[in-house]
Amino acid sequence: MNPIITGLLLAGALSIFVITMSGRVGVLLAMKKENRLDHIPYRVAQLVRFGLGQKRMVDPEEFTPGLFHIFIYAAFMVLALRTVMMFAMGFSTTALDVLTDLSHPAWDAAPPLLFLYRVYLLTKDLVAGLALLGVAYFVWTRWKVKPDRMSQSWEAYLILGFIAGLMITEFMFGGSHMVAANAAAQQVQMGATQVPSTPSALVWWEPITSVVGLAMMPLGVTVAHALGVAGFFIHLVIILAFLNFLPLGKHFHIITGLPNVFFQRTHSTGKLPTPNLEKEEFGAATVKDLTWKNGLDLYSCTECGRCQTHCPTYITGKPLTHKGVNQDLKHWLWENEKWVEEGYGPSGVKEPLPEIIGSALKAETVWACTSCGWCEQACPVFIENVPRLIDMRRYQVQVKAEFPPEIQRVFEGMERQGNPWGIGQDQRDEWASDLALPTWGDGGGPYEYLFFVGCAGSYDDKQKKVSRALVKILREANVSFATLSKQEMCNGDSARRMGNEYLYQTLAKTNVESWNAMGVKAVITQCPHCFNTIKNEYPEFGGEYRVINHTQLINELLKDKRIKLSAVMNTGTKLTYHDPCYLGRHNGVYDAPREVLNSIPGLEVVEMQRSKREGFCCGAGGGRMWMEEHIGTRINHNRINEVALTLKHAEDPNTPYPDATDKKKPGMVGDYKEQGGKGIVAVACPFCSTMLNDAKNDTGREQIQVKDITELVADSMEVTNKGGTVSPSPVVNAKPE
C-alpha cells in the first residue's frame, strides 16, 4: 500500500511499546524470584486446556458472557495472522496483489495452498462476524444490564470500539477488493465500454466480506477503493494503538494472560507456599517481597469481577474484593516503577519502599479474607490471591506483631497446650474416657489408620459427639485404627493462615517427626482443615501419608457393605448440605458426602443455590474462626438465611426464590429474613458446625438442625458388631472427585 507510511507507523508504535514494557518487565525482575518452570508437561496441558481452550470462561455461572468472550478471543487468535499479512501488504505491492486476488497467477502453482488459504479466509470471516456479535453483547451488558461484578469504565467502551473497528475495517478492506475484482471481471466478460448489469455471486470463502462488497458496489470502484485504503490504514492504526494501550489498563491480560495460565501453581489451592524461616523469609513487607508471579498475577487481572460473585467478604460488605486488591497493588506498582526498580522515590532520591499495608492496602483488607478459594476457582487466568494475602499477614504477625487482638490467646493456646482454646493437654482424650480406644504406640496393633481427632473433636462439646459417632462407625465396620490420646497436638492450620508461620512449622515438624517414628502410614480426619494441612502441606516436612476425610471413608464403607443404614429418619425430612471450603473447593471432594446422605433412609436431600464449586463460605476459614466480624453483615448469617430459604422452598415451591442467573445483585439468597424452613443442614466440618449453629441461634432459626454427616450415619446405622476380628480396611481414593 505505502511502505513509508506503514514503516513509520510500525516503528513509532513499537518504540513506544518497548519503552512502556521495559518498565513493566523491570518491575517483575525486581520482585522476588520463584521457580515456576517445574512440571512442564502439566503446565503445557493446562495452557492448552484453560489458556488456548478457555475452559473456565464457560463455567456454568458465567456461560453466556464466557461464550461471547470466546468469540472475541477466537477472532484475536485467527486475525493475528491476518494482521501480519496486512503489514506485509503495506510494505509489498506483490503481497497485496497475491493475498487479495485469488486468481493471481502465483496461486496456479500451489492449488492445495490456495485451498488452505480459502479455508483460512472463511474462518477469519466467521470469527470476525462472531466477534462483532460479542462486542454488541458486551456493550448491551454494560449499558443496560450492568452486572454487579462489572466496573463501569470508559476503557471498556474504548476497547470494545477498537475490537469492532478492527472487524469492520477488515470487512471494508476485503469488500473494496471484491468491488474492484467484480468490475474487472465483468469488463472482461462484457467489454470495457459496457456497464456491468449485476454484481457477481458471493464467494464461499469470504461470505461476510462478500456481503459487504455487494453493499459497496453501488458506490463505484473509485469510492470503494478509497474506503478500502482508509479501512486498511485505520486497521493498522487501531492495531498499533491497541498494542500500546494494553500495558496501561486491564486489557494487559491479552499479553500476560496466557503466560499466567502457564505459570499457575501445580498443586492444590489449599497448599500455601512454605517460606524458609532460616533465611528470614518472614512475609511480604513491601512489593519487592512479593514474587514475580504475584506481579504477573496483578498484570493479568481482567477486572471481570468473577471473583466477587460468591466471595463471602464482598457479599457481606467487608473491605475486601480481590479485584480491588489487584487494582490497588497494580496501580501502585505502575505509579512507582522507578522506585521499585532503582530505589528512587517520588522525591527523586533513593529511599526505602513503603510497606504494602499503609501505602497500597489497608490492614482490615488483608485480615478480612476467609481463604475460601472462590476467587481462585473463578478466575479465568488463575490469579493466586490467597497466598499473597497470607504472606502479608506473616509480616504483620512475625515482624510487626500487629494483628487482631483476639487471636493472641489463640497463638498462646497453641504454643502452651497444643490447641487454639488453650485447654489443658491432659484433657484432650476426656471425650473418649469410656470408649477404651487403642492408643498408637501402646504396644497394641499394628494399626492401619491413625484417627487424628483434631482440636475441635477433642475439646468442643458439639464436635465430641461427632468424634464418638465416628468411633461407632469405625468399630461397626471393623476398621483398624488408634488415636494419639493425650499426645495429639494441633496440626497448625489456623496458625499458618493467621500469619504465624513459625508456630505452624513448629507444630508441623513436631507432628511429622512423631508420626514417622511411630510408623504412621494413613490418617483419618474429621476436619477438612486438618485434612487439607496433613494431606497437602505436611509432605514438605517429610509427612507422606494417605489422608482420608471421614466422609470419603464412610462412603467407601457403605459401598463395600461394611456398614448398613436401615433406621429411617422422619420420612420426608428435608436436608441440605453445606460444602466446607477446605473439603470441596480446595480438595475437590463433592460427591462422597452427597452419596452418603443419599444413602440414609427417609431423607429428602435438596441442594442450595450456592453449592459444590459455587458453595458459600461459613466465614470461619483463614483463621477467621477466631476473629470477630466488626464490618458489614455476618457471613454465617448470610449462609443460614440461604439454608432457611432452601428448606422453605423445598416445603413450599411457591416461596419466592431469587433467580440464580441474576448478576445484578449476587448473594440475594442470603438476604432471606422470613422464618420457616424446617429441616437439617448437614455439615462435614467442625468450623462450619460452629458457625451455622451460632447463626441459627442469632437469627432465631431454631427449627433448623445442624448435624454432621457422621452423626446422621451413626443414628441410621445397624449395630451388629460385638467386637469381632478386624478386617482389612478399604483403600480410599483421596483425590479430587
Side-chain angles (χ1 to χ4, degrees), residues 243-255:
L243 178 68
N244 279 283
F245 190 77
L246 293 181
L248 304 178
K250 66 179 184 178
H251 287 84
F252 201 7
H253 74 273
I254 293 175
I255 296 174

Side-chain angles (χ1 to χ4, degrees), residues 439-486:
T439 302
W440 202 294
D442 63 358
Y447 304 107
E448 185 171 1
Y449 290 106
L450 168 64
F451 173 24
F452 185 79
V453 183
C455 299
S458 300
Y459 294 110
D460 181 81
D461 288 340
K462 292 185 292 295
Q463 201 64 23
K464 288 177 186 178
K465 297 176 183 177
V466 179
S467 301
R468 294 177 68 88
L470 186 53
V471 168
K472 178 182 177 182
I473 294 168
L474 296 177
R475 283 182 162 172
E476 172 64 24
N478 286 323
V479 175
S480 171
F481 75 97
T483 71
L484 293 173
S485 189
K486 291 182 174 62

Side-chain angles (χ1 to χ4, degrees), residues 179-251:
V179 172
N182 181 75
Q186 292 205 10
Q187 285 176 351
V188 169
Q189 294 173 3
M190 302 174 61
T193 59
Q194 298 183 30
V195 179
S197 56
T198 58
S200 60
L202 304 178
V203 295
W204 65 266
W205 56 87
E206 286 188 290
I208 300 177
T209 301
S210 296
V211 171
V212 173
L214 288 174
M216 294 173 68
M217 283 182 185
L219 301 176
V221 175
T222 302
V223 174
H225 175 73
L227 289 175
V229 172
F232 177 86
F233 282 109
I234 291 172
H235 188 96
L236 296 191
V237 168
I238 291 175
I239 281 287
L240 296 174
F242 202 164
L243 178 68
N244 279 283
F245 190 77
L246 293 181
L248 304 178
K250 66 179 184 178
H251 287 84

Side-chain angles (χ1 to χ4, degrees), residues 407-689:
I407 64 176
Q408 178 64 46
R409 62 177 177 81
V410 179
F411 292 152
E412 291 175 353
M414 290 184 180
E415 291 168 356
R416 297 172 184 174
Q417 299 294 342
N419 68 84
W421 284 277
I423 302 173
Q425 186 73 10
D426 60 337
Q427 300 177 48
R428 190 158 195 121
D429 62 350
E430 286 185 357
W431 65 274
S433 59
D434 60 332
L435 296 180
L437 295 181
T439 302
W440 202 294
D442 63 358
Y447 304 107
E448 185 171 1
Y449 290 106
L450 168 64
F451 173 24
F452 185 79
V453 183
C455 299
S458 300
Y459 294 110
D460 181 81
D461 288 340
K462 292 185 292 295
Q463 201 64 23
K464 288 177 186 178
K465 297 176 183 177
V466 179
S467 301
R468 294 177 68 88
L470 186 53
V471 168
K472 178 182 177 182
I473 294 168
L474 296 177
R475 283 182 162 172
E476 172 64 24
N478 286 323
V479 175
S480 171
F481 75 97
T483 71
L484 293 173
S485 189
K486 291 182 174 62
Q487 304 307 310
E488 185 178 283
M489 292 176 56
C490 182
N491 68 85
D493 161 79
S494 290
R496 167 167 261 201
R497 280 153 184 81
M498 290 189 295
N500 197 334
E501 182 69 19
Y502 176 81
L503 176 56
Y504 162 72
Q505 290 197 21
T506 300
L507 291 168
K509 291 174 181 176
T510 300
N511 283 333
V512 168
E513 182 179 350
S514 173
W515 299 358
N516 287 351
M518 294 177 181
V520 173
K521 301 297 182 185
V523 181
I524 299 171
T525 69
Q526 59 176 319
C527 171
H529 297 266
C530 302
F531 173 74
N532 176 75
T533 297
I534 299 170
K535 176 177 181 284
N536 295 319
E537 298 183 330
Y538 272 25
E540 287 198 77
F541 303 99
E544 299 280 353
Y545 314 111
R546 181 162 59 92
V547 188
I548 301 163
N549 175 261
H550 66 310
T551 64
Q552 294 174 304
L553 181 59
I554 292 170
N555 192 39
E556 291 300 320
L557 294 175
L558 284 167
K559 288 181 177 179
D560 293 345
K561 296 181 170 49
R562 300 274 295 278
I563 59 174
K564 182 179 180 181
L565 307 184
S566 59
V568 179
M569 307 290 288
N570 292 332
T571 303
T573 298
K574 306 292 191 296
L575 177 146
T576 191
Y577 173 62
H578 166 79
D579 286 281
C581 301
Y582 274 77
L583 184 61
R585 193 171 292 130
H586 285 303
N587 286 285
V589 180
Y590 296 114
D591 295 337
R594 288 171 168 81
E595 290 173 4
V596 171
L597 291 170
N598 284 316
S599 300
I600 300 174
L603 287 181
E604 180 184 337
V605 181
V606 293
E607 287 284 1
M608 284 189 270
Q609 191 179 96
R610 297 176 294 188
S611 63
K612 296 187 177 180
R613 64 176 295 277
E614 296 180 66
F616 194 71
C617 181
C618 73
R624 293 295 316 180
M625 171 75 177
W626 316 105
M627 303 179 223
E628 292 297 328
E629 284 188 61
H630 300 293
I631 304 172
T633 58
R634 297 183 67 88
I635 294 171
N636 58 342
H637 289 187
N638 186 285
R639 187 55 161 173
I640 202 67
N641 289 342
E642 180 176 7
V643 170
L645 176 57
T646 302
L647 296 175
K648 180 64 177 176
H649 186 77
E651 291 175 4
D652 179 11
N654 293 320
T655 301
Y657 207 63
D659 181 5
T661 63
D662 191 335
K663 305 302 180 186
K664 289 186 178 181
K665 192 177 185 302
M668 284 195 292
V669 286
D671 294 337
Y672 183 67
K673 296 297 188 294
E674 303 299 322
Q675 291 299 316
K678 182 179 179 181
I680 300 171
V681 54
V683 296
C685 171
F687 287 3
C688 297
S689 176

